[in-house]
C-alpha cells in the first residue's frame, strides 16, 4: 500500500511539474495570429482578441481571453461579441507547439442577426451575369465553415434578431451547448428567455442532431422541450407544457418537416405532424389530433365570467394601452403571410363552457381567405356543423358562417354568448350569418343574418306561464280556480329569427304543450342587454269551476308582455280583458233572455240599443 501511495504521489508531482513547465515555456499569445488566420481562411470572418491571453490549468487546461469579436466581411457591427472566451485545449499537441481546441466557451456574448452584422459585398466586387443565383442566407453564413470543434458553449448571453418587418427580437439568458459526440453527429442543449409586449417566454430543450449533409440538410430529434409563457392577456398561471418531435430541414427546396409531435399545453395535448416550405410565401400543411383540448384554460375563460371585464380578471393583466386606438389592420395577420391547410381531430374540446366531442376541422387558407370546409362534432347531447369563411384580406376581419344544429342543449350556448340562461331545451337551427370580427362583443354589434329554429323540451326558469295566468284569474274572479302542479311543462317552440347589428327580432313564435299554447313576437337587444316580447297565452288544461268561464279561458289568448333589462325583467299580464269579455257575454245572454220573456215590454227598444253597443 505504501508503494502504491508513493507511486501516485510521484505521478502527481510529475504532472504538476509538467504543467508548470508547459505554462512557463509556451506563451498562449503565440497562438493569437494563428487563431485569427484560421478563422478568416475557413469563413472570411475576422476574429479580434483584445487583451493578453493567459493560461488556466485547473480543472481543465484552458486559454482565457478578454473581450472578443467576430465580424463578417464589410459589416459595420460584429456578429458575435463576448466579454471573455475560454478555449479548452488538448495537452499533447501543445508539447509540439500546436493548438488543438476541444471546447470553446463564450460568456456574456451578444449575437447579432441584424442587417448591420451581415456580410457586405465590396464596392469594387464584380457583378455576375443576370439571372445568376443569389446565395441564400444559410449558404452565406455557412460558406467555408467546417465544424471540427468537439464542444461549443455559450453562457449568459444575448441574441438580437431583426425580423423582416424591421422589428428586433431580444432573446435573453441565451445558453447554448453543442457537443459533437461522433463525426457529424451532435447533441444540442438550449435555453433562453424572450420578453415582448409584456409577455415572457422561457424555453429549454435538448436534441440530437445529424449534420452529415450540413448545410444542405439537417435533421434532429428533439427529445424534450419545456416552455412557459406568461404575461398580459394570458391566464394568470400562464401557459406551460412540454413537447417532443423529430425535425428535418432541406435548404435546397427550403422544405421542413416536424413529425411525431407530442405537445402538451396546460391540460391540453396535440399530436401529429407539420410539413411545409419556406420562401417568399410559406406553405404549411398540418395534420393534428388531440385527445383533449381545453380552450378555456388556454384563453383564461371561466364559466362565471360573463363579460369582457370579468374575463379580464381571470388573466394576468392587459396588453399595453395605446393612447389613441388604431383602426383595424390585418396587414400582419399570419393568414396574409402563410398559405396552408389544417386537419384537426379532437376527441374532447371545451370552449366557453361548452363540452364538445368528436370535433373535426378541415380548413384551407389561400391569400388571406380561410375557408372552413368542415367544422362539425357533438355537443350537449346533439350535433353541430359550422362551415364558413374568415377573410382577413381587408383591414376589417369579415366572417361568414352557416350554422346547423340538431337538438343541441341551449343553456351552455346562452352562457357562451353572455345571454341569460333562463331557458333550457334542445335547439335545432339552420342559419346564415355574417359580420365583422370574431369576438362575442363584435358578434353583439356587427353581425347580421337569419335562422329558422325549433326548441324541444323547452322550460323557462322562474317563469311559469300557466301559474301566472291561473293566479291572475283567481285574483279577479271566484268562479274558477287552477290546478296546482309542480311538474315542469315541456314545450315545443318554433319560429324564425333575424339578427341586425345586435338586434334579434322574432316576427313569429309559436309553442305547444299539454297544458298551454301561445304565440309571440318581439325582439332582444344584445348590445343594450334588454328584451321586449309579447305573447298570447292560452291555458288549455287545469281549470275548475264555472263551465262557461272555463271554456272561455281555454279558447282565449291572454296578453302577456315580457320586457326590460336582463338584470330586472318585468312582465305585464292583462287577464282582466278576458274576464271583461266573459262578463259582457253573460250580460248579453241575460238581456236576450229577458227580451224573449218580455216581447211587448215598452223598454224593448232600449235593450236592443244596449245590446248593439256592447
Amino acid at each position: 500500500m505504501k508503494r502504491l501511495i508513493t507511486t501516485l504521489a510521484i505521478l502527481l508531482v510529475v504532472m504538476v511539474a509538467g504543467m508548470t513547465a508547459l505554462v512557463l515555456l509556451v506563451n498562449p499569445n503565440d497562438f493569437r495570429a494563428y487563431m485569427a488566420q484560421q478563422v478568416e481562411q475557413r469563413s472570411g470572418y475576422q476574429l479580434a482578441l483584445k487583451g493578453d491571453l493567459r493560461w488556466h490549468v485547473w480543472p481543465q487546461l484552458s486559454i482565457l481571453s478578454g473581450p472578443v469579436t467576430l465580424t463578417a466581411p464589410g459589416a459595420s457591427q460584429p456578429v458575435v461579441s463576448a466579454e471573455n472566451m475560454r478555449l479548452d485545449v488538448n495537452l499533447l499537441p501543445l508539447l509540439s507547439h500546436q493548438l488543438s481546441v476541444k471546447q470553446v466557451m463564450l460568456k456574456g456574448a451578444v449575437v447579432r442577426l441584424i442587417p448591420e452584422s451581415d456580410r457586405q459585398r465590396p464596392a469594387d466586387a464584380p457583378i455576375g451575369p443576370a439571372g445568376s443565383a443569389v446565395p441564400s442566407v444559410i449558404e452565406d453564413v455557412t460558406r467555408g465553415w467546417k465544424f471540427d470543434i468537439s464542444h461549443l458553449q455559450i453562457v449568459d448571453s444575448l441574441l438580437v434578431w431583426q425580423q423582416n418587418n424591421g422589428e428586433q427580437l431580444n432573446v435573453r439568458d441565451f445558453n447554448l451547448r453543442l457537443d459533437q459526440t461522433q463525426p457529424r453527429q451532435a447533441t444540442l442543449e438550449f435555453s433562453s428567455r424572450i420578453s415582448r409586449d409584456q409577455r415572457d417566454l422561457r424555453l429549454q430543450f435538448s436534441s440530437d442532431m445529424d449534420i452529415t449533409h450540413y448545410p444542405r440538410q439537417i435533421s434532429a430529434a428533439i427529445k424534450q422541450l419545456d416552455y412557459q409563457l406568461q404575461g398580459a392577456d394570458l391566464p394568470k398561471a400562464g401557459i406551460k407544457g412540454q413537447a417532443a418531435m423529430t425535425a428535418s430541414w432541406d435548404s435546397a427546396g427550403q422544405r421542413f418537416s416536424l413529425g411525431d409531435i407530442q405537445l402538451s399545453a396546460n391540460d391540453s395535448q396535440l399530436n401529429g405532424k407539420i410539413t411545409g416550405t419556406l420562401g417568399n410565401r410559406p406553405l404549411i400543411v398540418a395534420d393534428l389530433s388531440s385527445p383533449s383540448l381545453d380552450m378555456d384554460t388556454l384563453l383564461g375563460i371561466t364559466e362565471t365570467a360573463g363579460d369582457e371585464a370579468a374575463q379580464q380578471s381571470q388573466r394576468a393583466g392587459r396588453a399595453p394601452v395605446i393612447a389613441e386606438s388604431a383602426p383595424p389592420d390585418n396587414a400582419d395577420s399570419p393568414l396574409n403571410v402563410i398559405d396552408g391547410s389544417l386537419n384537426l381531430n379532437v376527441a374532447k374540446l371545451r370552449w366557453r363552457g361548452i363540452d364538445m366531442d368528436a370535433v373535426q376541422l378541415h380548413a384551407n387558407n389561400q391569400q388571406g381567405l380561410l375557408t372552413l370546409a368542415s367544422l362539425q362534432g357533438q355537443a350537449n347531447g346533439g350535433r353541430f356543423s359550422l362551415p364558413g369563411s374568415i377573410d382577413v384580406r381587408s383591414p376589417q376581419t369579415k366572417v361568414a358562417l352557416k350554422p346547423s344544429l340538431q337538438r343541441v342543449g341551449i343553456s351552455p350556448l346562452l352562457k357562451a354568448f353572455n345571454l341569460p340562461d333562463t331557458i333550457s331545451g334542445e335547439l335545432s337551427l339552420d342559419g346564415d350569418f355574417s359580420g365583422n370580427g370574431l369576438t362575442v362583443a363584435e358578434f353583439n354589434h356587427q353581425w347580421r343574418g337569419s335562422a329558422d329554429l325549433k326548441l324541444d323540451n323547452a322550460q323557462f326558469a322562474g317563469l311559469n306561464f300557466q301559474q301566472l295566468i291561473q293566479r291572475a284569474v283567481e285574483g279577479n274572479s271566484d268562479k274558477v280556480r287552477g290546478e296546482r302542479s309542480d311538474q315542469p311543462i315541456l314545450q315545443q317552440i318554433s319560429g324564425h329569427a333575424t339578427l341586425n347589428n345586435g338586434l334579434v327580432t322574432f316576427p313569429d313564435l309559436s309553442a305547444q304543450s299539454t297544458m298551454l299554447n301561445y304565440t309571440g313576437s318581439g325582439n332582444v337587444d344584445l348590445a343594450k342587454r334588454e328584451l321586449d316580447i309579447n305573447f298570447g297565452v292560452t291555458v288549455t288544461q287545469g281549470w275548475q269551476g264555472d263551465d262557461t268561464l272555463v271554456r272561455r279561458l281555454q279558447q282565449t289568448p291572454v296578453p302577456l308582455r315580457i320586457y326590460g333589462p336582463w338584470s330586472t325583467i318585468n312582465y305585464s299580464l292583462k287577464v282582466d280583458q278576458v274576464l271583461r269579455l266573459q262578463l259582457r257575454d253573460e250580460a248579453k245572454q241575460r238581456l236576450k233572455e229577458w227580451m224573449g220573456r218580455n216581447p211587448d215590454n215598452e223598454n224593448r227598444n232600449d235593450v236592443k240599443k244596449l245590446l248593439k253597443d256592447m
Side-chain angles (χ1 to χ4, degrees):
M1 178 61 70
K2 292 182 179 180
R3 290 182 179 180
L4 178 60
I5 295 175
T6 302
T7 302
L8 293 176
I10 294 173
L11 289 176
L12 180 60
V13 171
V14 171
M15 290 180 61
V16 171
M19 295 287 287
T20 303
L22 183 63
V23 170
L24 293 175
L25 295 175
V26 179
N27 185 357
N29 289 283
D30 294 342
F31 299 112
R32 179 191 299 270
Y34 171 76
M35 288 188 290
Q37 181 183 10
Q38 289 295 312
V39 170
E40 187 170 6
Q41 287 180 354
R42 292 170 181 261
S43 65
Y45 283 63
Q46 298 176 355
L47 176 65
L49 300 170
K50 299 179 181 179
D52 291 334
L53 304 180
R54 59 193 185 277
W55 288 112
H56 183 76
V57 298
W58 185 261
Q60 166 69 44
L61 182 61
S62 308
I63 297 176
L64 302 181
S65 76
V68 57
T69 60
L70 183 66
T71 308
S76 60
Q77 294 189 28
V79 65
V80 178
S81 60
E83 297 174 0
N84 55 68
M85 177 177 67
R86 191 186 81 193
L87 303 177
D88 295 338
V89 299
N90 294 309
L91 176 61
L92 294 180
L94 285 176
L95 299 177
S96 58
H97 210 79
Q98 294 180 357
L99 180 63
S100 176
V101 180
K102 63 180 181 181
Q103 175 170 285
V104 177
M105 190 187 81
L106 300 175
K107 183 176 178 61
V110 178
V111 182
R112 298 177 179 87
L113 302 179
I114 58 178
E116 290 79 8
S117 66
D118 284 348
R119 182 196 300 263
Q120 303 296 321
R121 179 188 295 271
D124 57 350
I127 300 176
S132 59
V134 178
S136 67
V137 175
I138 293 180
E139 292 173 347
D140 180 67
V141 172
T142 60
R143 185 190 297 115
W145 282 96
K146 181 180 179 182
F147 183 76
D148 56 2
I149 299 175
S150 299
H151 307 283
L152 172 65
Q153 188 174 7
I154 301 177
V155 181
D156 298 336
S157 301
L158 170 68
L159 172 64
V160 181
W161 173 40
Q162 182 166 318
Q163 305 174 70
N164 294 332
N165 58 10
E167 296 185 10
Q168 287 190 355
L169 185 65
N170 295 331
V171 182
R172 304 184 184 277
D173 298 338
F174 180 74
N175 296 280
L176 175 69
R177 184 180 183 90
L178 185 62
D179 299 322
Q180 190 171 195
T181 55
Q182 300 178 11
R184 316 302 286 179
Q185 304 290 323
T187 299
L188 176 67
E189 296 180 359
F190 171 83
S191 64
S192 69
R193 176 175 60 88
I194 303 173
S195 298
R196 187 179 182 185
D197 297 336
Q198 296 187 3
R199 295 177 182 175
D200 188 82
L201 173 64
R202 295 182 180 271
L203 287 173
Q204 182 176 0
F205 74 87
S206 62
S207 67
D208 295 329
M209 299 178 59
D210 183 355
I211 53 177
T212 304
H213 303 290
Y214 176 83
R216 295 186 303 275
Q217 291 181 350
I218 302 175
S219 61
I222 301 176
K223 297 180 293 185
Q224 184 173 4
L225 186 153
D226 299 325
Y227 70 93
Q228 183 174 16
L229 179 63
Q230 293 180 308
D233 282 337
L234 292 172
K236 290 183 178 180
I239 301 174
K240 61 181 179 179
Q242 297 179 334
M245 67 190 74
T246 60
S248 64
W249 167 256
D250 182 357
S251 62
Q254 292 190 303
R255 292 189 296 270
F256 73 91
S257 175
L258 303 177
D260 300 327
I261 298 175
Q262 298 180 9
L263 171 67
S264 67
N266 293 349
D267 297 330
S268 303
Q269 298 86 35
L270 272 177
N271 307 312
K273 63 179 181 179
I274 301 175
T275 60
T277 58
L278 302 181
N280 294 332
R281 189 169 187 86
L283 175 66
I284 297 178
V285 177
D287 189 356
L288 303 173
S289 63
S290 172
S292 176
L293 191 58
D294 191 338
M295 299 303 297
D296 289 358
T297 302
L298 297 177
L299 299 177
I301 299 174
T302 64
E303 295 183 51
T304 57
D307 53 25
E308 187 62 27
Q311 296 290 358
Q312 189 63 42
S313 67
Q314 306 302 319
R315 301 175 185 147
R318 287 190 178 272
V321 177
I322 301 175
E324 183 177 352
S325 59
D329 186 8
N330 285 320
D332 295 333
S333 172
L335 297 179
N336 274 324
V337 180
I338 302 172
D339 290 338
S341 62
L342 169 64
N343 290 330
L344 176 63
N345 294 287
V346 184
K348 292 186 177 298
L349 173 67
R350 186 175 182 84
W351 176 76
R352 300 189 72 89
I354 303 176
D355 292 316
M356 295 171 256
D357 300 318
V359 177
Q360 298 179 353
L361 169 62
H362 303 288
N364 296 277
N365 180 60
Q366 187 71 27
Q367 301 290 331
L369 178 61
L370 178 65
T371 302
L372 302 176
S374 174
L375 175 54
Q376 59 185 4
Q378 303 173 8
N380 305 327
R383 296 192 59 83
F384 70 90
S385 176
L386 198 66
S389 64
I390 301 174
D391 190 348
V392 298
R393 294 174 294 183
S394 60
Q396 180 70 57
T397 301
K398 299 178 180 178
V399 186
L401 299 174
K402 293 186 177 181
S404 177
L405 310 179
Q406 292 85 40
R407 301 182 72 89
V408 174
I410 192 174
S411 293
L413 289 177
L414 296 174
K415 290 182 180 180
F417 286 91
N418 299 335
L419 300 174
D421 56 341
T422 56
I423 185 172
S424 62
E426 301 164 355
L427 177 65
S428 298
L429 177 148
D430 288 297
D432 189 351
F433 297 95
S434 62
N436 298 327
L438 287 166
T439 66
V440 173
E442 288 170 324
F443 175 82
N444 290 342
H445 292 81
Q446 304 180 42
W447 278 58
R448 295 184 178 184
S450 62
D452 294 315
L453 54 89
K454 183 175 69 172
L455 189 63
D456 293 309
N457 300 324
Q459 289 181 255
F460 292 90
L463 190 62
N464 189 317
F465 288 173
Q466 178 192 12
Q467 291 186 4
L468 282 176
I469 294 174
Q470 287 178 340
R471 289 172 179 173
V473 170
E474 291 173 356
N476 287 271
S477 175
D478 58 357
K479 294 184 177 181
V480 294
R481 65 180 182 277
E483 295 180 357
R484 296 292 184 264
S485 175
D486 295 331
Q487 295 296 325
I489 299 177
L490 302 181
Q491 310 162 42
Q492 184 185 76
I493 304 174
S494 60
H496 184 78
T498 61
L499 172 65
N500 186 8
N501 295 332
L503 185 64
V504 181
T505 302
F506 299 96
D508 57 344
L509 290 173
S510 61
Q512 299 84 33
S513 74
T514 57
M515 301 291 291
L516 55 82
N517 298 323
Y518 59 85
T519 59
S521 63
N523 58 74
V524 176
D525 195 323
L526 303 178
K528 297 181 180 179
R529 302 175 66 85
E530 60 185 24
L531 57 83
D532 190 350
I533 301 178
N534 292 288
F535 295 100
V537 185
T538 304
V539 179
T540 59
Q541 302 292 332
W543 295 107
Q544 294 180 352
D546 183 82
D547 293 340
T548 303
L549 183 54
V550 166
R551 285 194 300 270
R552 166 77 63 178
L553 292 171
Q554 290 175 339
Q555 298 173 2
T556 305
V558 177
L560 172 64
R561 182 190 177 197
I562 301 177
Y563 63 97
W566 297 345
S567 56
T568 55
I569 294 179
N570 303 307
Y571 70 90
S572 173
L573 186 63
K574 298 181 179 180
V575 70
D576 55 327
Q577 294 182 3
V578 180
L579 298 178
R580 283 200 301 268
L581 290 175
Q582 176 63 23
L583 292 175
R584 185 196 64 183
D585 289 346
E586 288 183 359
K588 284 184 176 182
Q589 181 63 30
R590 291 182 180 181
L591 289 174
K592 289 179 180 179
E593 292 176 354
W594 180 86
M595 291 178 62
R597 292 194 303 269
N598 303 280
D600 299 328
N601 193 294
E602 60 182 6
N603 296 322
R604 183 179 178 85
N605 292 331
D606 295 333
V607 173
K608 286 183 178 181
K609 184 179 179 181
L610 179 61
L611 286 172
K612 186 177 181 181
D613 294 337
M614 293 181 67

